Amino acid sequence: MHHARYSMAFIAVPFVTIQVLAFSSPPTQAETFTGVLTDVTLYRSSALVTRTITIPGADSDDTDGVADDPRRTREILIDGLPEQLLPPSLFAEGDDSIAIRAVRVIDEPIDGSVQADVRALDERIKQPQTQMKRLDHEAQLIQSHLSSLQQLTSFTHQSTTLDLSRGVLNADALRAMWELALEQREQLAERSLGIETERGSIEEQIAQRSRERSQLTAGTPRSRYRARVFVDMDAQRGGTLRLRYSVGGCRWSPQYAINGRSAQSAIELRYGAVIEQLSGESWDNVRLALSTASPSVSASGPMLTPLRIAAVAPDQAGEFELAEEMLMDEMSINSYGMGMDMEMSADATNRGALAMPSQRAQASAFKGMVQAIRGQQRTAETSAAGQGNAGQQQRDLTLNRLAGQMQELELRASAKATLGAHDSSTDEVASQTYLIAQPVSLPSRREQQLVEIVDATLAAEWFHTATPLLSSFAYREAEAINDLDMGLLSGPVSVYLDDRFVGTMNLPTIAAGQRLTIGLGADGQVRTRRELTSKEEMVQGGNRRLAFDYKLVINNFKTTPIQVRLLDRMPIPDQSQQTRVQRTIATPGLSDDPLYERMQMPHGILRWDLDIDAARHGSDAVDIQYSYSVEFDRNRVLSVPQNVDELFGAISYPSGIGGGGIGGGLGSGR
């Protein structure tokens, strides 16, 4: 049995001689086929299309004289390729009865019928345009006549005044003059109204014909593509030829709808793809796959190059300046408007030394820069530059240059700033491919089209999250495990609760098996508040000590018991050598969830996991108490520098630990 034969495309150039291998027999006259689209893999900004062509066996008369050698060369033309075809991507393969000898793309001018129709329509548009010019000219004449009438009226008024002073007024002549002026004004006004009416009608004609022209020329290719394939095949058996090519003008993005079912303790997840398909060909009943991979990614791993460093004078830093300036700019952004005064060191020659009131600000800047460089590396790794030997070398150079910037930051930043910056718990998910179960038809058109990827029900744990420091309402949340065999990409979500719309949010990237927390809106029947019950101040030696007692109150007006994750916070020292904070009591005890203890407790976040009975409100409300103390130099005062990393989530907390994190109750950790 023969194996399938493959051939990559030659670059499409009209009237270029094709280099063909030795044929078993001279090529016959070209046979034209269109084929059927069978498979489409849609990437985020392009698509890989498979077109299947069935080549019938030749008639017995055509095989006379070649009985000893039944294989012969046939020239196959595949017509109807789309205008968004990417010619270098053309690829042909045959079954075990076909050997591909050569492939090329032919770029041909389009048929002149469309241009003829456009020219005829342009002539139809010129007619009302000419009428419009005539009306404009007539309108100018009317304005000129009105101006002349105004001058005549002014002259008549002056003459009348002079005649009255002389006592020689001719009333009949004056009356005739005024009547003539009024008659002329009425006629001109009536004609002016007629011009405006005609103008509106003509403008509508021009607009209508212009729309017809736009529809006629919209999506019209300047040229059409055809594929010419030379095959060596059995003259009588026939065979199947598959043509694969990439097209532009198409993309997809994720879209979600989540409906929380309170009675079932579950969430219904509908995951769909919003597709833009302007490739120029209709995908009818194709097997569709949606992929997040890059079709141009290199199969070879990048090559690591050496990193050379040198100790030089500050004014000779040269190539090291870029990353340092980027780090300083990032720290300036983090400190701007947040009450943190950044000061350069007194030693002006030490360009890298910064005197800042917060080491966390520099750590945040460093972490942000590392994440930005990582993002650029991911882009470079999957870019089109990875195609070909030169492209792969360019990719490797880019990756190594970005890695050099990152290592330069590590060399220059302080030890504290680098701690925890390389966080491996990112929200990236490996390349995903979603196979649509049923055949899909997607015509080439400007309107967006929606395809459903999955409709599933996930078992969920329901609870309320209360943060009295931020809101007096508790928020419903549902926590589920993504037990699908696929990751979920980041995308917009429309959220419903028992078929009632509650809002929108953005779902972070969720890997298969990862936990996700969905916010389901505020619950007005669960209220909370925070009270400072006492504050004491004392001086111990050279230090001042402040002690605080707080009470958190939860009111459950519902007729059913609820689970509540109650959140509050206590301060953490910005500079531990100057300030010390200690929690002294928490009644009841804090949550023993391992993830919370690892991720949030060290940052001063307090969490209680509570079971609240029904109708616990008023004098029967649930009280939670805790205390802490702050000790610092008596000659100093406390301040609260707001850090951008904590305000906007650079310190990311996973979901399932209350509050849902950034994005209104959606989390991404596990």
Side-chain angles (χ1 to χ4, degrees):
M1 176 180 290
H2 297 284
H3 295 285
R5 278 56 177 258
Y6 304 89
S7 175
M8 294 300 293
F10 293 96
I11 297 177
V13 179
F15 310 111
V16 175
T17 301
I18 308 174
Q19 202 171 26
V20 183
L21 302 179
F23 297 111
S24 57
S25 62
T28 59
Q29 185 177 1
E31 305 170 64
T32 301
F33 299 90
T34 301
V36 178
L37 268 64
T38 55
D39 297 87
V40 174
T41 300
L42 180 58
Y43 300 99
R44 302 304 289 269
S45 59
S46 64
L48 178 64
V49 179
T50 300
R51 186 184 290 250
T52 301
I53 300 96
T54 301
I55 304 175
D59 295 334
S60 58
D61 294 341
D62 296 334
T63 60
D64 292 343
V66 292
D68 296 335
D69 184 10
R71 298 187 67 82
R72 62 188 305 180
T73 299
R74 299 172 69 174
E75 180 182 353
I76 307 299
L77 287 178
I78 295 94
D79 206 353
L81 299 184
E83 59 264 27
Q84 292 291 341
L85 171 73
L86 304 177
S89 68
L90 192 71
F91 176 84
E93 64 177 346
D95 59 16
D96 57 0
S97 65
I98 295 180
I100 307 298
R101 293 302 186 182
V103 183
R104 76 164 179 174
V105 179
I106 304 173
D107 186 354
E108 297 179 342
I110 61 173
D111 185 81
S113 59
V114 175
Q115 288 91 333
D117 292 341
V118 172
R119 287 194 296 270
L121 197 53
D122 287 339
E123 290 297 326
R124 293 181 59 200
I125 293 176
K126 286 181 180 179
Q127 297 174 4
Q129 287 177 339
T130 302
Q131 296 177 12
M132 184 69 74
K133 291 180 180 179
R134 179 182 58 79
L135 291 177
D136 290 340
H137 179 67
E138 189 173 355
Q140 293 176 0
L141 288 177
I142 290 175
Q143 290 298 323
S144 177
H145 292 165
L146 289 173
S147 178
S148 299
L149 282 176
Q150 182 62 35
Q151 295 177 3
L152 178 61
T153 302
S154 299
F155 174 76
T156 303
H157 177 72
Q158 295 175 1
S159 300
T160 301
T161 303
L162 182 59
D163 289 346
L164 283 173
S165 65
R166 296 176 177 176
V168 292
L169 179 63
N170 188 338
D172 293 336
L174 180 61
R175 184 182 300 107
M177 183 67 69
W178 279 110
E179 290 176 352
L180 176 62
L182 290 174
E183 182 181 356
Q184 290 291 320
R185 283 180 180 275
E186 290 177 359
Q187 292 177 358
L188 293 175
E190 184 177 355
R191 181 54 188 151
S192 180
L193 180 60
I195 289 176
E196 291 300 321
T197 302
E198 291 183 45
R199 189 196 301 273
S201 176
I202 294 174
E203 287 177 349
E204 179 60 30
Q205 291 182 30
I206 295 175
Q208 176 63 30
R209 294 174 185 178
S210 297
R211 286 192 295 268
E212 292 177 8
R213 189 185 192 281
S214 298
Q215 293 174 0
L216 187 62
T217 58
T220 301
R222 297 181 180 178
S223 59
R224 70 173 181 178
Y225 293 109
R226 306 173 74 189
R228 174 171 289 167
V229 185
F230 289 91
V231 299
D232 194 8
M233 60 182 295
D234 191 305
Q236 294 181 334
R237 288 180 56 190
T240 300
L241 176 67
R242 286 179 295 276
L243 202 66
R244 291 192 174 97
Y245 49 87
S246 294
V247 293
C250 48
R251 59 186 55 85
W252 75 278
S253 58
Q255 185 180 79
Y256 298 88
I258 293 179
N259 189 11
R261 295 293 184 184
S262 56
Q264 304 173 8
S265 296
I267 58 174
E268 296 175 352
L269 171 68
R270 293 191 296 275
Y271 181 14
V274 178
I275 296 176
E276 297 180 25
Q277 210 282 75
L278 286 171
S279 66
E281 65 182 349
S282 181
W283 302 341
D284 296 326
N285 293 316
V286 299
R287 292 187 292 268
L288 179 66
L290 304 172
S291 178
T292 63
S294 172
S296 60
V297 66
S298 174
S300 301
M303 179 181 294
L304 187 65
T305 61
L307 176 69
R308 302 184 185 277
I309 63 172
V312 298
D315 57 351
Q316 298 177 350
E319 63 184 33
F320 291 131
E321 292 180 357
L322 176 61
E324 182 183 60
E325 292 175 358
M326 294 170 69
L327 177 61
M328 293 172 64
D329 290 343
E330 182 74 14
M331 287 189 288
S332 299
I333 293 172
N334 283 356
S335 63
Y336 178 73
M338 295 297 176
M340 298 187 300
D341 296 327
M342 182 187 300
E343 299 178 358
M344 293 300 296
S345 170
D347 184 3
T349 61
N350 188 1
R351 302 177 62 250
L354 294 174
M356 299 182 62
S358 173
Q359 288 287 345
R360 289 204 310 275
Q362 187 178 359
S364 172
F366 180 81
K367 183 175 182 178
M369 286 300 305
V370 170
Q371 291 175 344
I373 292 174
R374 285 294 191 192
Q376 294 178 52
Q377 284 183 320
R378 287 191 293 270
T379 301
E381 191 172 4
T382 59
S383 66
Q387 295 180 345
N389 186 50
Q392 185 168 321
Q393 291 180 359
Q394 180 61 42
R395 178 205 63 174
D396 293 352
L397 289 174
T398 302
L399 292 175
N400 278 276
R401 177 179 58 81
L402 292 169
Q405 293 180 7
M406 183 164 57
Q407 289 185 275
E408 179 187 354
L409 290 173
E410 296 172 350
L411 292 169
R412 288 186 173 273
S414 66
K416 290 185 178 180
T418 60
L419 294 178
H422 298 277
D423 185 7
S424 60
S425 60
T426 63
D427 63 352
E428 293 298 319
V429 170
S431 297
Q432 295 285 317
T433 299
Y434 305 110
L435 300 176
I436 307 303
Q438 301 297 327
V440 175
S441 294
L442 295 169
S444 179
R445 64 186 188 194
R446 295 186 180 276
E447 293 81 10
Q448 291 183 336
Q449 304 173 70
L450 182 63
V451 172
E452 184 178 272
I453 299 174
V454 66
D455 186 350
T457 299
L458 304 178
E461 177 187 357
W462 286 60
F463 55 89
H464 286 69
T465 297
T467 312
L469 189 63
L470 304 179
S471 173
S472 61
F473 294 100
Y475 282 75
R476 306 178 189 88
E477 294 191 352
E479 185 177 274
I481 300 295
N482 177 20
D483 57 7
L484 305 173
D485 58 354
M486 64 180 69
L488 303 177
L489 303 181
S490 175
V493 185
S494 298
V495 182
Y496 301 82
L497 176 61
D498 295 325
D499 297 321
R500 178 174 56 86
F501 179 74
V502 296
T504 61
M505 56 186 62
N506 193 76
L507 183 74
T509 302
I510 303 292
Q514 193 173 7
R515 179 165 46 182
L516 67 153
T517 303
I518 306 299
L520 296 169
D523 189 343
Q525 291 185 289
V526 181
R527 301 293 185 93
T528 180
R529 70 176 187 272
R530 179 178 188 267
E531 300 177 4
L532 173 61
T533 57
S534 70
K535 175 181 177 181
E536 296 182 359
E537 182 176 353
M538 61 196 74
V539 176
Q540 298 177 344
N543 291 339
R544 177 180 299 172
R545 185 175 182 273
L546 302 177
F548 301 88
D549 293 327
Y550 287 92
K551 181 172 70 173
L552 308 177
V553 182
I554 297 179
N555 291 274
N556 180 19
F557 296 94
K558 302 173 75 70
T559 58
T560 56
I562 58 174
Q563 293 182 348
V564 176
R565 294 182 181 180
L566 180 63
L567 295 171
D568 204 67
R569 70 183 180 192
M570 51 180 280
I572 55 178
D574 192 40
Q575 297 173 332
S576 58
Q577 68 272 20
Q578 297 180 358
T579 308
R580 185 173 63 180
V581 180
Q582 182 179 5
R583 189 182 74 252
T584 56
I585 187 175
T587 306
L590 297 177
S591 171
D592 59 359
D593 180 67
L595 189 60
Y596 157 71
E597 291 178 341
R598 177 182 178 183
M599 300 298 295
Q600 281 194 307
M601 184 183 286
H603 296 280
I605 305 299
L606 308 177
R607 169 180 152 184
W608 292 265
D609 296 339
L610 307 170
D611 292 322
I612 309 297
D613 294 333
R616 292 292 302 271
H617 53 83
S619 60
D620 200 25
V622 177
D623 295 340
I624 294 89
Q625 297 177 343
Y626 75 93
S627 304
Y628 70 86
S629 62
V630 182
E631 189 173 347
F632 56 97
D633 190 322
R634 61 185 299 180
N635 296 317
R636 294 177 177 267
V637 295
L638 295 178
S639 66
V640 183
Q642 300 292 333
N643 294 316
V644 172
D645 60 343
E646 295 173 356
L647 286 175
F648 299 105
I651 298 179
S652 57
Y653 300 132
S655 67
I657 54 179
I662 301 301
L666 287 171
S668 60
R670 185 171 184 182

